[in-house]
Amino acid sequence: MRAVARWTVAKIGGAVLVVWIVATLVFFALRLSGDPLEAILGGPGSQAGEDTVRAAIEKYALDEPLAWQYLLQLRDIATLQLGDSFARRQPVADLLAAQLPATLLLAALALALAWAIAVAGSIIQAVSRGRTGIVVGAVMRGLEIVASVTPQFWLGAVLIMLFASGLGWLPATSAGSSPAALVMPVVTLAIPIAGFLSQVSRDALDEADAAPFATTSRSRGAGEMRVLLRHTLRHASLPAVALSGWAFGNLLSGAVVVEVLFARPGLGRLLQEAALSRDVPVVIGAVVVIALMYIVVVILTDAIELLVDPRLRARAASRRAPEIAVGS
């Protein structure tokens, strides 16, 4: 119980620290980019009267020292009072709630596709032997490197030109609810992540293939496919599982580019529009929500890794054993 309590406290403390750092950086970056009063009053060239200007200054405490405005912002975040959007005049919480499902769906589908590609690549290389295996392995490694370094905005533009403008198979924008509208955004997000996960899985698979448990299984008459599916593939997936939290965070950041490129509604597009208009409440709210989602995914990834890898459970048990001995 003590170990669980310490783990929980550590995760909560880490989450609070991340949110505080993110909120601090965003707050001061936006303030350095320009006067928020301009954004509140509707942008450059606003014809707001003196009473309107005075009311806006009092409402948002813009006449207070910057340090006090910063503390007020932290208080609002801690109490989940994100306020109203400067530009849209709507509660920030409502805006985020409306756009969050679309971004989560996009990121989840992209992560699932990236994993499917990585696993398929690992299986193809594992079942290829001899000279054919050398050629297949070299081709797969080349594809992994190219995929992992491909910029998402370039890949998305190429897909639009090929499948939308050229062949006309898919819609160029994904503002609609059609499943076909999700294909190109999901592929654009998934390909770079798939390349990285494939490299990690392949290296782990090579290591597992030469491990004693794989050799013992073969000596007992197990075929290569059986060894792969029952032993080495699970072992090889562990490093990639550990990196899934990072991958999901990368997908959330990539959603900003993809949602703008494909005119898709979502949290990333909302964040981009709010940043351009210096809509401080929306930017801070969106960034904090993204940070919290990343933390939750990392915690879930840690839990899944603990369930999948018996070695981690053994280490946790060995750490608890001295505590039990001391307590008794």
Side-chain angles (χ1 to χ4, degrees), residues 94-145:
D94 293 347
L95 292 173
L96 297 179
Q99 302 299 328
L100 183 58
T103 298
L104 286 178
L105 176 63
L106 181 63
L109 291 176
L111 184 59
L113 178 59
W115 259 106
I117 295 173
V119 171
S122 298
I123 293 175
I124 291 173
Q125 294 184 69
V127 299
S128 301
R129 299 294 178 183
R131 293 182 178 179
T132 302
I134 295 175
V135 175
V136 171
V139 172
M140 295 298 293
R141 283 191 291 271
L143 292 176
E144 290 166 0
I145 294 173

Side-chain angles (χ1 to χ4, degrees), residues 42-299:
S46 172
Q47 302 297 321
E50 293 183 4
D51 293 340
T52 303
V53 172
R54 189 180 304 107
I57 292 175
E58 292 177 357
K59 179 179 180 180
Y60 295 100
L62 298 179
D63 55 343
E64 300 290 346
L66 185 61
W68 183 248
Q69 296 179 42
Y70 166 68
L71 292 176
L72 292 176
Q73 184 68 64
L74 292 182
R75 180 204 64 187
D76 292 342
I77 293 174
T79 58
L80 301 180
Q81 300 296 323
L82 300 178
D84 295 337
S85 165
F86 292 165
R88 302 176 184 241
R89 301 294 191 270
Q90 298 178 34
V92 173
D94 293 347
L95 292 173
L96 297 179
Q99 302 299 328
L100 183 58
T103 298
L104 286 178
L105 176 63
L106 181 63
L109 291 176
L111 184 59
L113 178 59
W115 259 106
I117 295 173
V119 171
S122 298
I123 293 175
I124 291 173
Q125 294 184 69
V127 299
S128 301
R129 299 294 178 183
R131 293 182 178 179
T132 302
I134 295 175
V135 175
V136 171
V139 172
M140 295 298 293
R141 283 191 291 271
L143 292 176
E144 290 166 0
I145 294 173
V146 171
S148 61
V149 300
T150 300
Q152 290 169 333
F153 68 88
W154 180 85
L155 178 59
V158 170
L159 293 178
I160 290 174
M161 288 189 295
L162 180 60
F163 293 104
S165 301
L167 299 174
W169 291 354
L170 297 169
T173 62
S174 58
S177 58
S178 170
L182 275 168
V183 173
M184 288 196 293
V186 169
V187 172
T188 301
L189 275 178
I191 292 298
I193 298 298
F196 187 82
L197 292 179
S198 296
Q199 293 180 62
V200 175
S201 299
R202 173 176 47 79
D203 293 340
L205 189 62
D206 292 340
E207 179 183 346
D209 196 55
F213 63 82
T215 304
T216 301
S217 181
R218 291 190 184 96
S219 67
R220 293 175 178 175
E224 291 297 330
M225 185 60 68
R226 181 181 177 86
V227 173
L228 173 68
L229 297 178
R230 296 199 60 179
H231 301 287
T232 57
L233 187 59
R234 185 179 66 173
H235 179 87
S237 67
L238 295 177
V241 168
L243 290 172
S244 292
W246 165 86
F248 192 81
N250 187 280
L251 291 172
L252 290 176
S253 62
V256 177
V257 175
V258 171
E259 288 174 357
V260 173
L261 182 62
F262 290 96
R264 175 178 173 79
L267 202 59
R269 189 177 178 189
L270 176 67
L271 178 59
Q272 183 256 356
E273 294 175 353
L276 291 178
S277 62
R278 296 199 303 276
D279 197 339
V280 177
V282 174
V283 173
I284 291 180
V287 170
V288 167
V289 168
I290 291 174
L292 288 175
M293 285 193 299
Y294 175 72
I295 292 168
V296 170
V297 170
V298 169
I299 292 174

